[in-house]
């Protein structure tokens, strides 16, 4: 029993889960350093995103001929969540590269640097999400009890983004052209994912198949659907859960082979 407990503690420490206070401090320092001497700080991101959402909503709402009280909340939460997902992935690609000095000087577990990236973007998400209730208020709508499902949905999405950022950080440390490739893939995925356009615009059979094969849509729906007052489909839960389990299995396998090489690639 003691050996099993010791093994679990070793695993716990090897991933830096005993250093969450350090992760929180580093994440806050990243935000404060980025907006040092700025009166509004990270709320500049919120303001710029709010202006972008209003502009896109007014234009594309007319193009798609969708009622604004339906389209604008859908667009708002979609863009906010997409920014969180893509920023976490893109910054995860350079997670080890940006932390080169720390990695080479201090014996800190590699996953601490990934948790730092995820935490930093969760803080920015917390600022940007304030736009959504304001949009609901303007549209004369409100949140429903279904919104509590956001909590497990967000946790599951964070699990998926964590392994993806971890895996990409290792690969991008070796192959420095990968971050540009990943950014291009995410740009294409943005237009293929219902963010600026609604799923109802797709043909029935083709639309269902296309959306089920889009992992970004499934992740978005786990959070977006409850905020819009609907229950996420069972397919979305199963797809995202499968992505999390398979992804972490793959990432841990790759990490066990590459963990000793990462520092030499930086």
């Amino acid at each position: 029993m003691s050996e099993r407990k010791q093994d679990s503690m070793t695993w716990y420490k090897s991933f830096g889960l005993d250093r969450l206070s350090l992760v929180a401090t580093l994440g806050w320092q990243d935000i404060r350093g980025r907006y040092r001497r700025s009166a509004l700080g990270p709320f500049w991101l919120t303001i710029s995103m709010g202006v972008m959402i209003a502009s896109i909503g007014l234009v594309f709402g007319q193009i798609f001929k969708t009622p604004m009280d339906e389209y604008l909340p859908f667009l708002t939460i979609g863009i906010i969540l997409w920014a969180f997902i893509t920023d976490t992935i893109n910054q995860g690609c350079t997670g080890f590269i940006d932390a080169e000095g720390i990695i080479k000087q201090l014996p800190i577990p590699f996953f601490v640097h990934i948790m730092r990236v995820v935490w930093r973007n969760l803080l920015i998400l917390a600022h940007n999400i304030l736009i959504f209730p304001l949009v609901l208020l303007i549209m004369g709508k409100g949140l429903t009890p279904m919104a509590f499902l956001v909590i497990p949905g967000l946790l599951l999405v964070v699990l998926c983004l964590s392994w993806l950022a971890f895996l990409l950080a290792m690969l991008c440390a070796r192959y420095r052209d990968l971050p540009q490739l990943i950014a291009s893939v995410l740009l294409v995925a943005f237009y293929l994912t219902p963010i600026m356009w609604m799923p109802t615009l797709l043909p029935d059979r083709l639309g269902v198949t296309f959306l089920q094969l889009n992992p970004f849509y499934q992740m978005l729906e786990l959070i977006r659907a409850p905020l819009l007052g609907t229950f996420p489909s069972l397919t979305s839960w199963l797809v995202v859960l499968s992505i999390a389990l398979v992804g972490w299995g793959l990432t841990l396998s790759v990490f066990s082979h590459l963990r000793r090489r990462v520092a030499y690639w930086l």
Side-chain angles (χ1 to χ4, degrees):
M1 185 69 180
S2 59
E3 291 181 359
R4 185 177 300 178
K5 184 177 180 180
Q6 185 176 0
D7 291 340
S8 64
M9 288 300 296
T10 302
W11 177 89
Y12 185 81
K13 291 182 178 180
S14 66
F15 275 83
L17 298 180
D18 60 331
R19 306 195 184 190
L20 295 181
S21 59
L22 174 62
V23 173
T25 300
L26 292 174
W28 276 112
Q29 285 182 349
D30 290 340
I31 298 294
R32 294 177 62 183
R34 183 175 177 179
Y35 297 99
R36 185 175 299 168
R37 298 182 181 177
S38 172
L40 295 178
F43 285 104
W44 277 116
L45 281 176
T46 306
I47 293 172
S48 62
M49 180 164 288
V51 172
M52 180 180 67
I53 290 170
S55 303
I56 295 176
L58 291 174
V59 174
F60 283 87
Q62 297 298 321
I63 292 175
F64 296 137
K65 301 185 185 304
T66 306
M68 196 58 64
D69 62 341
E70 179 182 352
Y71 179 69
L72 197 56
F74 177 89
L75 173 71
T76 300
I77 193 60
I79 288 182
I80 291 172
L81 292 176
W82 184 257
F84 167 66
I85 290 173
T86 54
D87 286 348
T88 302
I89 295 174
N90 283 325
Q91 292 174 26
C93 288
T94 59
F96 293 160
I97 298 172
D98 294 339
E100 177 183 356
I102 298 177
I103 291 174
K104 289 184 175 180
Q105 296 179 34
L106 299 174
I108 295 177
F110 285 109
F111 193 58
V112 167
H113 306 294
I114 302 304
M115 289 192 290
R116 175 183 183 179
V117 170
V118 174
W119 172 242
R120 179 171 66 225
N121 284 285
L122 280 171
L123 292 175
I124 295 174
L125 174 64
H127 286 87
N128 290 338
I129 202 67
L130 297 177
I131 302 172
F132 184 67
L134 181 61
V135 169
L136 290 181
L137 183 63
I138 294 174
M139 295 293 106
K141 292 189 172 185
L143 294 173
T144 67
M146 197 74 69
F148 287 105
L149 288 175
V150 166
I151 298 173
L154 179 60
L155 290 175
L156 198 51
V157 170
V158 167
L159 276 177
C160 290
L161 294 177
S162 297
W163 75 255
L164 184 56
F166 195 11
L167 179 63
L168 289 175
M170 290 184 283
L171 297 178
C172 291
R174 175 64 180 86
Y175 304 102
R176 296 302 176 94
D177 292 327
L178 267 182
Q180 288 76 23
L181 177 61
I182 297 299
S184 299
V185 170
L186 290 174
L187 180 60
V188 174
F190 173 75
Y191 293 107
L192 296 179
T193 304
I195 298 171
M196 291 195 303
W197 50 274
M198 303 188 73
T200 53
L201 296 175
L202 292 176
D204 292 339
R205 292 184 179 178
L206 176 63
V208 171
T209 303
F210 177 77
L211 293 177
Q212 286 181 346
L213 295 175
N214 187 336
F216 293 109
Y217 168 73
Q218 305 292 3
M219 285 192 282
L220 282 173
E221 278 300 286
L222 284 189
I223 305 174
R224 180 169 59 188
L227 290 175
L228 296 178
T230 59
F231 188 84
S233 68
L234 180 60
T235 301
S236 295
W237 287 106
L238 293 177
V239 168
V240 179
L241 181 60
S242 300
I243 291 173
L245 294 176
V246 173
W248 269 110
L250 173 64
T251 301
L252 293 176
S253 176
V254 173
F255 179 62
S256 66
H257 288 84
L258 301 182
R259 63 185 305 170
R260 298 183 183 277
R261 304 180 188 179
V262 173
Y264 295 99
W265 290 338
L266 297 175

